[in-house]
Amino acid sequence: MLRCLYCGAVMTEVIVLNGGSSSGKSGIVRCLQAVLPDPWLALGTDTLVEAMPASMQASDAGIEFAPDGQVIVGPEFRTLEAAWIEGVAAMARAGARVIVDEVFLGGADSQKRWQKALGELRVLWVGVRCDSVVAAGREVARGDRVIGMAASQADVVHRGMVYDLEVDTTHAESMECARIIAAHVS
């Protein structure tokens, strides 16, 4: 006898993880890819920044990383970011399941940009929290971030956000958080 496992159930098509720098999002993404039964693409704000020409990091119109850890984005960055968000949404509409690793510096306004692009897609919104002192320690250990970025982003990225689920990596390992998230993926 054959039975349908999903039988009309709406399946999650996109998982959006939002948290500050060094909060543990990337580790959670890798663990999610390992524990979820289907293949999921991992895309994030770092992917976008790495895809941009180096000149975008030396321009007021692009993206700047201030010595104190602040991130300043200009109009050219916003234009490319909007196209990238639409591209991620198009991949999900075409059948790819996508995990987005984001840093919503604009809080609720950032989420609204994604909500508009993702439209009718089934999205699981996840807040990834981490105590700013712990995130700052991770930032130093990583050695690839401007010192101060983790502390400046730890709370601001969550202002005004609406999540389906939140995890806290202050004391929880990436795999534990991934399993919690996976339990909410249909």
Side-chain angles (χ1 to χ4, degrees):
M1 176 175 159
L2 295 174
R3 12 179 264 230
C4 173
L5 295 177
Y6 299 107
C7 295
V10 179
M11 294 175 53
T12 304
E13 298 162 299
V14 179
I15 301 169
V16 177
L17 302 179
N18 175 50
S21 179
S22 300
S23 63
K25 297 180 309 297
S26 298
I28 292 171
V29 169
R30 286 189 298 277
C31 291
L32 277 169
Q33 288 179 306
V35 300
L36 290 169
D38 299 315
W40 287 74
L41 295 177
L43 300 168
T45 193
D46 288 345
T47 310
L48 170 63
V49 171
E50 290 168 9
M52 291 182 175
S55 63
M56 291 286 292
Q57 294 187 27
S59 162
D60 290 346
I63 184 168
E64 293 181 68
F65 301 96
D68 66 354
Q70 293 292 321
V71 179
I72 303 129
V73 297
E76 287 179 8
F77 177 88
R78 287 286 181 224
T79 299
L80 292 174
E81 178 190 45
W84 182 75
I85 290 170
E86 289 294 335
V88 171
M91 284 189 282
R93 282 189 194 91
R97 296 178 100 184
V98 181
I99 305 168
V100 178
D101 172 346
E102 257 290 1
V103 180
F104 287 162
L105 295 174
D109 289 338
S110 297
Q111 186 177 33
K112 287 177 188 168
R113 285 194 296 273
W114 275 96
Q115 286 171 325
K116 180 180 178 194
L118 295 172
E120 75 291 345
L121 292 166
R122 173 99 164 110
V123 181
L124 180 66
W125 298 93
V126 181
V128 179
R129 295 190 181 267
C130 183
D131 178 84
S132 63
V133 173
V134 172
R138 292 176 185 167
E139 177 179 71
V140 170
R142 287 174 68 157
D144 67 348
R145 294 285 191 257
V146 175
I147 301 301
M149 192 180 294
S152 71
Q153 295 176 2
D155 293 322
V156 71
V157 299
H158 299 292
R159 288 192 188 134
M161 296 296 300
V162 177
Y163 297 119
D164 298 309
L165 176 66
E166 292 187 36
V167 294
D168 190 323
T169 65
T170 303
H171 302 291
E173 294 294 324
S174 295
M175 185 56 82
E176 179 183 351
C177 293
R179 286 190 173 118
I180 291 167
I181 296 165
H184 289 82
V185 174
S186 53

